[in-house]
């Protein structure tokens, strides 16, 4: 290689390598520090777009999971805070009607039974009017399939299609659990005949309420299954996004060591190449 004073090609080549190695070292440090192989579109545009879509889907499913859990809380409030209590009251009113229907008691006792009977029915109406979840009435007919207001819908998927939501009005179809809705508001057990008629009406109310509780239980099971399904979807999408986007730390640390050595080596070569023009002085001696 000829000796030149004005153009030190070896130094320029070494400096170019030093710049490249320094950039690579910086990128590797950022990757190791962040734990992500792809951070912006310049790293890998296609992988970034795919991973963003996967992460968006996972976040949508996580929100759907929270929506379902809220729906379960609402339904638990329907069952535990309302229907189960009303069922117990109906059982008690049936006991009272059964006692009042027997011929071994007199009118005085039946009037006493009527007082408790009326009190129990008032409690049914109170429970119905106060049972709600975040301002949403639950037992006044708002969750019936023929409700005139907006349906209560649980959204759980990636879009607004019907397959990604559950309409609680359709699945629960809860008619009003007031004494009027149950058909027991005008019962009178102060007479034996009235008590016997009350037994029939109360049994019908119990059967209707049992059907409603069965639908509630079926919906609870459905939502629990949906939670399990969403959990699997979230896990799969997160794993796929991680495979595309996350850095292999072991591999990156190995690369970091390599880049450090290259930077140190190229730096040393820049220093050595800068000494080459000094050979011209030897020719002049």
């Amino acid at each position: 290689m000829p000796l030149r004073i004005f153009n030190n090609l070896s130094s320029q080549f070494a400096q170019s390598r030093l710049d490249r190695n320094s950039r690579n070292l910086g990128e590797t440090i950022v990757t190791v520090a962040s734990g992500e192989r792809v951070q912006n579109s310049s790293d890998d545009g296609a992988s970034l777009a795919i991973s963003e879509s996967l992460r968006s889907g996972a976040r949508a499913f996580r929100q759907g999971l929270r929506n379902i859990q809220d729906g379960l809380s609402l339904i638990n409030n329907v069952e535990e805070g309302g229907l189960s209590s009303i069922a117990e009251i109906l059982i008690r009113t049936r006991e009272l009607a059964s006692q009042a229907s027997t011929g071994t008691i007199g009118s005085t006792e039946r009037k006493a039974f009527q007082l408790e009977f009326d009190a129990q029915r008032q409690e049914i109406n109170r429970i119905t009017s106060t049972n709600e979840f975040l301002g949403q009435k639950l037992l006044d007919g708002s969750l019936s399939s023929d409700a005139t207001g907006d349906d209560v819908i649980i959204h759980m998927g990636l879009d607004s299609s019907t397959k990604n939501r559950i309409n609680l009005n359709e699945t629960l179809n809860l008619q009003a659990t007031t004494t009027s809705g149950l058909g027991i508001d005008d019962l009178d057990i102060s007479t034996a005949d009235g008590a016997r008629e009350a037994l029939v009406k109360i049994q019908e109310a119990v059967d209707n309420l049992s059907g409603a509780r069965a639908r509630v239980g079926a919906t609870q099971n459905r939502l629990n299954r949906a939670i399990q399904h969403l959990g699997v979807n979230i896990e799969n999408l997160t794993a796929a996004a991680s495979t595309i986007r996350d850095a292999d730390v072991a591999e990156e640390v190995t690369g970091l060591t390599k880049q450090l050595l290259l930077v140190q080596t190229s730096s040393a070569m820049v220093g050595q190449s800068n000494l080459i023009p000094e050979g011209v002085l030897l020719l002049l001696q």
Side-chain angles (χ1 to χ4, degrees), residues 1 8-21 266 269-270 273-274:
M1 178 180 294
N8 188 342
L9 298 181
S10 296
S11 177
Q12 292 177 2
F13 178 81
Q15 291 178 40
S16 176
R17 288 294 182 178
L18 176 59
D19 290 340
R20 181 187 304 176
N21 292 334
S266 55
M269 292 305 98
V270 169
S273 61
N274 287 335

Side-chain angles (χ1 to χ4, degrees), residues 16-182:
S16 176
R17 288 294 182 178
L18 176 59
D19 290 340
R20 181 187 304 176
N21 292 334
S22 297
R23 287 195 301 270
N24 292 339
L25 175 61
E27 292 173 358
T28 304
I29 289 175
V30 171
T31 300
V32 174
S34 66
E36 292 184 337
R37 182 184 67 85
V38 180
Q39 300 177 65
N40 50 60
S41 58
S42 63
D43 296 329
D44 188 339
S47 294
L48 179 66
I50 295 172
S51 65
E52 284 296 299
S53 177
L54 292 171
R55 292 172 67 183
S56 176
R59 291 186 64 175
F61 280 136
R62 286 192 182 94
Q63 183 57 55
L65 188 63
R66 289 190 288 269
N67 293 342
I68 295 175
Q69 290 169 341
D70 289 340
L72 274 175
S73 298
L74 182 150
I75 293 175
N76 289 337
N77 198 24
V78 168
E79 170 59 22
E80 299 174 7
L83 297 183
S84 61
S85 298
I86 294 175
E88 293 177 1
I89 293 174
L90 288 178
I91 292 173
R92 178 54 184 163
T93 57
R94 187 166 55 181
E95 290 176 347
L96 293 171
S98 178
Q99 286 179 295
S101 66
T102 184
T104 59
I105 62 172
S107 59
T108 302
E109 288 78 13
R110 289 192 180 95
K111 289 179 180 178
F113 293 152
Q114 182 67 41
L115 290 174
E116 183 180 351
F117 192 85
D118 291 339
Q120 295 290 348
R121 289 188 296 184
Q122 290 173 4
E123 182 61 14
I124 289 177
N125 289 331
R126 188 196 67 80
I127 292 173
T128 299
S129 64
T130 58
N131 189 261
E132 61 180 49
F133 180 80
L134 297 177
Q136 171 66 51
K137 294 290 186 179
L138 304 177
L139 299 179
D140 65 346
S142 297
L143 291 180
S144 67
S145 59
D146 55 356
T148 57
D150 294 333
D151 288 352
V152 178
I153 296 175
I154 299 177
H155 184 76
M156 63 185 71
L158 299 178
D159 55 48
S160 59
S161 61
T162 55
K163 66 183 178 180
N164 288 321
R165 58 186 183 181
I166 295 178
N167 188 321
L168 292 185
N169 289 69
E170 294 178 358
T171 58
L172 295 177
N173 190 20
L174 293 178
Q175 303 299 321
T177 57
T178 58
T179 54
S180 177
L182 294 172

